[in-house]
Amino acid sequence: MRTRTLGRTGPAVSALGLGLMGMSDLYGPADETESVATIHAALDAGVSLLDTGDFYGMGHNELLLRDALRGRARERAVISVKFGALRGPDGSWLGYDSRPEAIKTFLAYSLRRLGTDHVDVYRPARLDPAVPIEEQIGALAELVRAGYIRHIGLSEVGAETLRRAAAVHPISDLQIEYSLLSRGIEAEILPAARELGIGVTAYGVLSRGLLSGHWSPSRELTAGDFRGHSPRFQGEHLDRNLELTDALGKLAAAKGVTTAQLAIAWVAAQGEDVVPLVGARTRVRLAESLGAEAVELTEADLAEIDAAVPPGAASGGRYAEAQLGHLDSER
């Protein structure tokens, strides 16, 4: 697999990364044995960037990754960890905490769960409005100097926050949703990241499955699947979004690839500074997603895709209104 670099100062990583969230949380039950096998298959295929969060399954995701990496060379994995989200024992969301002492505590527990002496990229999951970003980055910079983390990343923040953070310490990358149905970063955030030399790790590249080509309007979701409350998966919103997926699917068929592969390839084609994260939970879905790395898109292809799924065409918000309020990137 080809490699890309996370910004000017970040690590070299595989051109596609693997997002592990769905193996522990928010998309309903997952098979642990299959999850570990999927991580192994990704590593064997040359995927090095593995993205997790300490609050995914309240620590379960990090323990899962530790098990998957046991017996593997640590240097082959670039581990990216999000922190700061507070959760109750019932799984409820209780806010965010990025106080310096909390950051150090979160990291201490992550290192123990992961079974490693350092995290490659460490990032607050959301902006904590109670703590100035300069203070958060200052605390992370201390951990860089101490050798516990290698690089500082951010997640779902806006252009102004990026600039304030980069003034304190180099930022390797911004993790943010970016897909054919979520192009909000193109106006201000992506240009600011490029101006500052900050890479983008794009999650939600298949829009939670909408752009996979495998979604059905009749699909029943389990109680633990957050898509049951996501606006884009409801009623007329879902119908409209699947019409867009069908249009993309016709282009994919003409090119001899799957809808998911074309959607992932489109994100990868937005620049060498963009690394798509695929959220495959099984080896079958992983194999399909990794096939996107071989898809070459011409300017004519990109124009056809833009015509089929124009900017702003998505129906419904990417999160419910209450959740959007926590996103600095949406302000």
Side-chain angles (χ1 to χ4, degrees), residues 179-183 211 240-241 243-249 251 266 303-314:
S179 74
L180 277 164
L181 294 182
S182 297
R183 297 178 63 171
L211 291 171
R240 171 56 183 155
N241 292 327
E243 287 176 3
L244 296 171
T245 300
D246 288 345
L248 184 67
L251 296 180
W266 179 88
E304 286 187 334
I305 293 170
D306 258 7
V309 189

Side-chain angles (χ1 to χ4, degrees), residues 24 64 135 176 253 268:
S24 298
L64 181 75
E135 193 173 327
I176 195 164

